[in-house]
């Protein structure tokens, strides 16, 4: 693995590691290590520290507060964030909406929204999935109808992460129902304080409030809050989703969980030794670590090649394998915890609490669904990468 990175990149990694572990408050990082949900204030505090040091959106164009980092540096940055248990800069702001606005937004939209997104002055959420349009996202039914004042939006979004915190939502809406389903979609920016918006919580199986339903009842949206051209929203969504899929791999997070499983197994009595000495368990752990190395090599190769930037369909490979490895790491942690992992989760912050295994295991089930289900990713790989 060392051969993947130049001396300069290795030094870059060490600088990031030192910064993350010294500048982001320990109380925030401890919550993440213990699998505990963060408050809105925790996300904001962490991102503003990063932004003040040029680290919230380093992959954005320099004109909008970024550093024009290539994707290899961005991979190292993301991995070290995750290994240090630092909250990722809010993905909806930084890795989804931001690049779309920079590429397709009007000058007024860039000036109005990008600096505030980078500093988390505005919290954005994503209004894509609907009750009848998840993996088949292009079947969405939320309508936006022309009126003299602007669009009137009516419909429902679901699985909307952190909508309870959000100031704005970027939404896919149907503006032309009479053309093929991908061709009649537009991309709107909607103020969550607009009359007619209702947010209802969805409590997930591990007991956390992270996702929501969002209802739109005749919500007025000015025309200047449409990104790009009317009925071109599907193109912008595809551009956005390739960025989301690369981020779902979370190699740094899985490395940290694999290391945790190794550490806990070495401290867990089993037979005449420890669980780490048990050959079947040790083999599973080694296979996970090897697959993680292979995925990292693949990601760096994709990031380094010509044309390997935003919009690369090969991001589906990274999303597919990365989500599977997260689930395998969660299963290992659950096996180490044993029956103790089934106990109710507490508010105590303990890096090695068995309760973390349960939270990790339950939460990891969703990663093969969001960002486009893994079955969809296989289709993309077959058609657009392999040409089958």
């Amino acid at each position: 693995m060392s051969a993947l990175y130049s001396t300069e990149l290795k030094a870059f990694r060490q600088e990031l590691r030192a910064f993350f572990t010294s500048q982001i408050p320990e109380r925030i990082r401890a919550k993440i290590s213990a699998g505990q949900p963060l408050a809105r204030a925790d996300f904001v505090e962490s991102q503003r520290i990063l932004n003040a040091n040029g680290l919230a959106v380093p992959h954005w164009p320099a004109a909008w507060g970024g550093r024009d980092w290539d994707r290899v540096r961005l991979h190292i940055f993301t991995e070290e964030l995750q290994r240090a248990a630092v909250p990722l800069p809010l993905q909806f702001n930084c890795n989804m909406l931001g690049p779309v606005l920079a590429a397709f937004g009007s000058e007024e939209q860039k000036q109005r929204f990008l600096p505030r997104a980078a500093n988390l002055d505005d919290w954005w959420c994503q209004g894509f999935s609907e009750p009848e349009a998840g993996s088949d996202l292009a079947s969405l039914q939320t309508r936006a109808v022309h009126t003299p004042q602007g669009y009137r939006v009516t419909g429902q979004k679901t699985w909307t992460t952190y909508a309870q915190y959000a100031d704005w939502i970027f939404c896919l809406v149907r503006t032309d129902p009479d053309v093929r389903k991908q061709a009649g979609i537009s991309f709107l920016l909607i103020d969550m304080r607009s009359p007619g918006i209702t947010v209802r919580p969805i409590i997930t199986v591990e007991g956390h409030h992270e996702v929501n339903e969002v209802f739109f009842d005749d919500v007025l949206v000015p025309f200047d809050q449409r990104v790009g051209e009317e009925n071109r929203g599907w193109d912008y969504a595809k551009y956005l989703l390739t960025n989301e899929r690369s981020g779902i791999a979370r190699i740094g997070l899985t490395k940290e969980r694999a290391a945790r499983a190794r550490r806990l197994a070495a401290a867990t009595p089993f037979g005449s030794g420890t669980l780490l000495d048990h050959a079947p368990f040790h083999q599973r752990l080694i296979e996970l670590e090897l697959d993680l190395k292979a995925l990292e090599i693949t990601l760096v190769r994709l990031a380094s090649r010509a044309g390997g930037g935003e919009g690369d369909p090969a991001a589906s490979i990274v999303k597919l394998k990365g989500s599977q490895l997260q689930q395998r790491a969660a299963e290992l942690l659950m096996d180490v915890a044993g029956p103790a992992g089934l106990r109710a989760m507490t508010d105590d912050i303990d890096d090695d609490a068995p309760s973390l295994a349960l939270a990790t295991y339950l939460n990891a089930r969703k990663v093969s669904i969001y960002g486009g289900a893994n079955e969809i990713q296989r289709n993309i790989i077959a058609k657009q990468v392999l040409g089958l």
Side-chain angles (χ1 to χ4, degrees):
M1 287 300 295
S2 180
L4 272 180
Y5 304 107
S6 65
T7 300
E8 179 185 358
L9 288 176
K10 291 175 186 176
F12 171 72
R13 181 186 292 275
Q14 291 302 318
E15 290 173 7
L16 291 175
R17 188 171 297 178
F19 179 87
F20 295 148
T21 55
S22 64
Q23 299 302 310
I24 304 300
E26 174 62 24
R27 57 183 166 73
I28 295 177
R29 297 193 297 115
K31 285 185 181 181
I32 292 181
S33 293
Q36 301 222 337
L38 298 183
R40 188 184 199 277
D42 295 326
F43 286 105
V44 172
E45 180 180 1
S46 176
Q47 184 157 328
R48 287 181 180 172
I49 292 171
L50 294 174
N51 196 44
N53 289 274
L55 294 173
V57 289
H59 55 301
W60 284 14
W64 299 108
R67 295 186 174 186
D68 286 314
W69 277 1
D70 60 34
R71 296 182 70 81
V72 175
R73 284 182 180 267
L74 184 59
H75 159 67
I76 295 171
F77 168 76
T78 303
E79 181 180 341
E80 291 303 322
L81 270 172
Q82 293 168 343
R83 295 184 73 171
V86 173
L88 289 171
L90 189 66
Q91 298 295 285
F92 308 109
N93 288 33
C94 302
N95 284 5
M96 297 183 191
L97 179 67
V100 168
L101 284 183
F104 306 109
S106 67
E107 192 65 22
E108 188 275 334
Q109 288 171 342
K110 293 175 187 178
Q111 293 177 3
R112 179 181 178 186
F113 294 117
L114 287 178
R116 294 182 61 83
N119 202 49
L120 204 43
D121 296 328
D122 293 328
W123 186 298
W124 287 85
C125 64
Q126 179 185 29
F128 281 19
S129 294
E130 298 183 4
E132 301 299 326
S135 296
D136 184 16
L137 181 58
S139 294
L140 64 91
Q141 296 299 311
T142 297
R143 295 282 301 275
V145 178
H146 274 261
T147 72
Q149 296 78 31
Y151 294 106
R152 289 284 180 178
V153 177
T154 300
Q156 177 186 356
K157 299 294 180 178
T158 195
W159 308 119
T160 310
T161 303
Y162 296 133
Q164 73 271 30
Y165 297 152
D167 304 298
W168 289 79
I169 183 170
F170 53 89
C171 248
L172 293 182
V173 298
R174 188 159 302 284
T175 41
D176 188 344
D178 298 323
V179 295
R180 67 183 182 89
K181 58 186 181 180
Q182 291 89 351
I185 294 171
S186 295
F187 194 113
L188 300 186
L189 311 177
I190 305 177
D191 189 333
M192 290 290 284
R193 295 160 294 190
S194 302
I197 293 181
T198 301
V199 177
R200 294 181 185 170
I202 299 173
I203 306 303
T204 48
V205 67
E206 76 274 24
H208 293 170
H209 175 200
E210 185 176 287
V211 294
N212 305 268
E213 296 176 287
V214 181
F215 298 87
F216 301 89
D217 183 9
D218 199 32
V219 176
L220 178 63
V221 181
F223 290 123
D224 64 3
Q225 289 172 203
R226 185 192 69 231
V227 175
E229 299 176 33
E230 187 171 275
N231 298 325
R232 289 284 308 279
W234 188 248
D235 294 333
Y236 312 143
K238 289 190 295 182
Y239 181 91
L240 181 153
L241 287 169
T242 56
N243 296 330
E244 181 184 14
R245 288 165 185 160
S246 295
I248 290 171
R250 296 182 180 174
I251 292 174
L253 178 66
T254 308
K255 282 185 177 180
E256 189 277 331
R257 288 175 176 168
R260 187 191 300 265
R262 177 177 286 278
R263 182 175 69 250
L264 291 176
T268 301
F270 188 88
S272 60
T274 69
L275 184 58
L276 191 60
D277 301 320
H278 184 54
F281 179 89
H282 197 198
Q283 180 176 342
R284 287 171 60 203
L285 180 59
I286 291 293
E287 288 174 350
L288 172 65
E289 292 170 339
L290 288 174
D291 283 349
L292 269 170
K293 290 180 181 179
L295 180 61
E296 183 171 12
I297 291 170
T298 300
L299 190 151
V300 172
R301 286 173 54 204
L302 291 175
S304 302
R305 75 182 188 181
E310 287 91 348
D312 189 345
S316 291
I317 298 171
V318 178
K319 189 275 179 182
L320 174 65
K321 193 64 177 181
S323 62
Q324 293 171 337
L325 295 184
Q326 286 180 68
Q327 292 173 342
R328 284 167 55 186
E331 289 164 4
L332 281 174
L333 278 173
M334 196 66 188
D335 288 348
V336 174
L342 296 176
R343 76 187 187 193
M345 289 176 282
T346 70
D347 292 330
D348 298 330
I349 291 180
D350 177 356
D351 277 358
D352 293 336
S355 60
L356 173 63
L358 178 59
T360 299
Y361 177 83
L362 293 175
N363 194 267
R365 309 327 297 166
K366 68 187 182 185
V367 297
S368 54
I369 300 174
Y370 67 71
N374 281 4
E375 290 75 14
I376 299 296
Q377 305 315 310
R378 291 186 178 93
N379 288 339
I380 293 172
I381 293 166
K383 294 178 180 179
Q384 299 187 36
V385 179
L386 301 178
L388 299 179

